[in-house]
Amino acid sequence: PTLDETMAGVTAWIRENPLATLLLAICGGLLVYFYGFYSVFMNGEQSTAVWAWKGWNDENDQVHCRFIAPIILFILWQRRGELTSIVKEPRLRGLAFVLSGIVLFVLGVRCLQARLAIVSLPLVVYGSAEYLGGKAFARIFIFPCLLMLFMVPVGGVIQSTVTLQLLTSKTVGALC
């Protein structure tokens, strides 16, 4: 479908489902707030998104992470025809993923581990897709959600495993 057809379909859905539109807007706003503006990391100075953005640097060799979100949006845009044509059969199982993501986010905030908060995002997105659209609808979100896991800055984690890396290389050297 063209952009005009897609926008016409979205507009028609909004007119037919004002309560669902309001609930989606509230949920989307909460996601943006908690991931983008709720400053809890680095002594309450950085949100999850800011922490991740600063972790996606040359020092950690993770500048590529900055391009993952636009790639995910492009993938979903390319599959918009399937997303709109699939018969929506909402499933309660999606709420289990959403709740798991929320628990993981809260755990990340309580433990001050932004990586856990970032890992919770794919769970929330996939769970929302399955809850709202069903199994076939959520299947389209599996790859983009797994791709989101590459957005987790692991530079500090890798640096803390130097001893294990040296042990592994010495063991492999001895075995060879």
Side-chain angles (χ1 to χ4, degrees), residues 52-127:
W53 187 264
K54 289 185 176 184
W56 299 334
N57 57 39
D58 285 330
E59 183 180 332
N60 290 333
D61 196 25
Q62 294 207 293
V63 177
H64 67 278
C65 292
R66 295 180 179 175
F67 302 107
I68 292 175
I71 290 170
I72 289 170
L73 292 174
F74 177 75
I75 290 169
L76 293 173
W77 178 256
Q78 290 295 103
R79 303 206 52 197
R80 69 188 181 279
E82 292 175 68
L83 289 170
T84 56
S85 66
I86 289 177
V87 176
K88 311 300 186 282
E89 298 172 354
R91 295 182 62 184
L92 286 176
R93 187 183 97 139
L95 286 180
F97 286 100
V98 172
L99 291 175
S100 299
I102 291 170
V103 167
L104 197 58
F105 182 84
V106 170
L107 185 65
V109 167
R110 295 294 297 159
C111 297
L112 295 177
Q113 287 294 321
R115 286 176 187 86
L116 290 178
I118 295 169
V119 169
S120 71
L121 185 60
L123 290 170
V124 171
V125 170
Y126 177 80

Side-chain angles (χ1 to χ4, degrees), residues 8-21:
V10 169
T11 304
W13 185 85
I14 289 172
R15 285 188 187 134
E16 294 170 8
N17 303 296
L19 183 60
T21 302

